[in-house]
Amino acid sequence: MKLSVKALALSSGIFWGLCVLLFTLLAVYTGYLKEVAVFFEGIYPYYSVSLVGAFAGLVWGFVDGFIVGLIFGWLYNRFAPSGV
């Protein structure tokens, strides 16, 4: 069975973008997951643990998740046995 690479890439991008947004908002308003949010500052350009940074993280998280989902889906389809 083959995966839809486009669907996997889009769903991964949306999921990871929303996760980064949620982690940042939790860090800003409650202090919870602050270490995780600070870690993202070293990975994503223009990201910061702030309200504006949360939306930058949403965009970068989507791009990051999309690329990872795209590569994973392509690799899965490349190595999965056909006809199963």
Side-chain angles (χ1 to χ4, degrees):
M1 182 168 104
K2 299 285 185 175
L3 288 175
S4 170
V5 176
K6 182 174 142 183
L8 182 61
L10 285 171
S11 60
S12 297
I14 291 168
F15 176 75
W16 187 241
L18 290 174
C19 283
V20 174
L21 176 73
L22 180 64
F23 292 164
T24 307
L25 293 176
L26 282 171
V28 168
Y29 291 113
T30 68
Y32 184 66
L33 295 172
K34 178 97 172 164
E35 295 82 16
V36 174
V38 169
F39 176 73
F40 292 147
E41 287 181 329
I43 298 173
Y44 299 130
Y46 309 110
Y47 173 82
S48 64
V49 183
S50 65
L51 191 56
V52 173
F55 291 99
L58 173 68
V59 172
W60 280 113
F62 174 80
V63 171
D64 191 19
F66 183 88
I67 292 169
V68 168
L70 187 75
I71 292 169
F72 182 82
W74 179 80
L75 283 172
Y76 179 86
N77 286 341
R78 181 87 171 124
F79 293 114
S82 58
V84 174

